[in-house]
Amino acid sequence: MKKFKFALVAVALAGSSMAMAQDKAAMVKQFLDLQRPGIEALARGLVEQSSAPIAQAGSQYLQTQVPAEKREAAAKAADAELKKYFDDAYPLVRDKAVALAPDALGPILRDNFSEEELRQLLAWINSPLSKKYQELNPKMQTALTEKLVAETRSSIEPKMRTLDANVAKALGAPTEGAAPAKSAPKAPAKK
């Protein structure tokens, strides 16, 4: 009889822990579903970031190497190519990010949050206060960014000009406002 009771308790505990694991897995899935806009924003940022150096180099080339009368048309053509890249790359990266999120983030959530903590986290994310905070967060970031840039501009701009000149010098490129480099004297031609 004791063995039967022990087996019954063991089955009950196993069933209970399986149900808890299913509940926890369901909560992790719900959390990830709620985080989808953030995951998609991450993907958007990665795609934009990947094309930024090309866009910057193209803009600089446009301003320095393309004749003024051809700049507008060239800029439109370059913008069309950047948009085509984004329209092609973003869905690919977004869909892959959404697909990878459960395997990448799920174990972290399951291993670091208890079932009760996940319940609280989901309650917070679904709360009106959280939604209000999420709506105001971009405004708060913009406010801080504007104030930070205004307060540090006078200290950072000279450093940026020095960096620009030093990188150009290291690359052997002409620097803005610098006198053209004198060419080395040529050796006399052999007769």
Side-chain angles (χ1 to χ4, degrees):
M1 186 72 166
K2 278 186 177 181
K3 287 183 182 181
F4 178 72
K5 285 183 182 178
F6 180 72
L8 188 59
V9 169
V11 168
L13 286 174
S16 173
S17 65
M18 281 180 26
M20 284 176 41
Q22 288 174 342
D23 287 344
K24 196 171 184 181
M27 285 189 284
V28 167
K29 183 185 179 325
Q30 184 181 2
F31 178 82
L32 292 173
D33 289 344
L34 291 168
Q35 294 305 303
R36 184 177 177 135
I39 293 166
E40 290 177 354
L42 172 76
R44 175 181 293 279
L46 288 172
V47 172
E48 289 171 348
Q49 187 179 30
S50 71
S51 63
I54 295 169
Q56 290 170 344
S59 177
Q60 186 172 5
Y61 183 84
L62 185 71
Q63 296 301 316
T64 60
Q65 304 297 317
V66 176
E69 65 276 2
K70 294 183 180 182
R71 284 186 191 146
E72 186 176 342
K76 285 181 182 178
D79 286 344
E81 290 301 319
L82 286 164
K83 183 180 181 333
K84 188 165 74 173
Y85 166 78
F86 181 84
D87 291 346
D88 185 44
Y90 173 62
L92 176 82
V93 176
R94 177 200 60 215
D95 294 348
K96 186 56 82 172
V98 169
L100 292 173
D103 289 338
L105 304 177
I108 296 169
L109 292 166
R110 281 190 300 277
D111 293 347
N112 292 286
F113 289 98
S114 69
E115 189 174 337
E116 181 56 30
E117 289 170 329
L118 283 170
R119 215 176 259 105
Q120 290 175 21
L121 187 59
L122 288 169
W124 157 252
I125 288 172
N126 285 313
S127 73
L129 180 60
S130 173
K131 290 182 185 346
K132 185 175 182 179
Y133 173 77
Q134 290 172 17
E135 288 172 8
L136 289 174
N137 197 36
K139 270 186 182 176
M140 292 187 297
Q141 288 180 356
T142 299
L144 177 58
T145 300
E146 288 172 357
K147 196 156 196 66
L148 180 62
V149 168
E151 293 287 325
T152 60
R153 178 176 282 129
S154 63
S155 299
I156 296 300
E157 282 182 351
K159 293 178 185 313
M160 291 297 297
R161 284 191 295 274
T162 300
L163 173 64
D164 186 41
N166 290 345
V167 168
K169 184 178 176 183
L171 296 173
T175 57
E176 195 175 310
K182 294 181 181 176
S183 56
K186 295 183 180 178
K190 291 186 180 179
K191 293 185 182 181

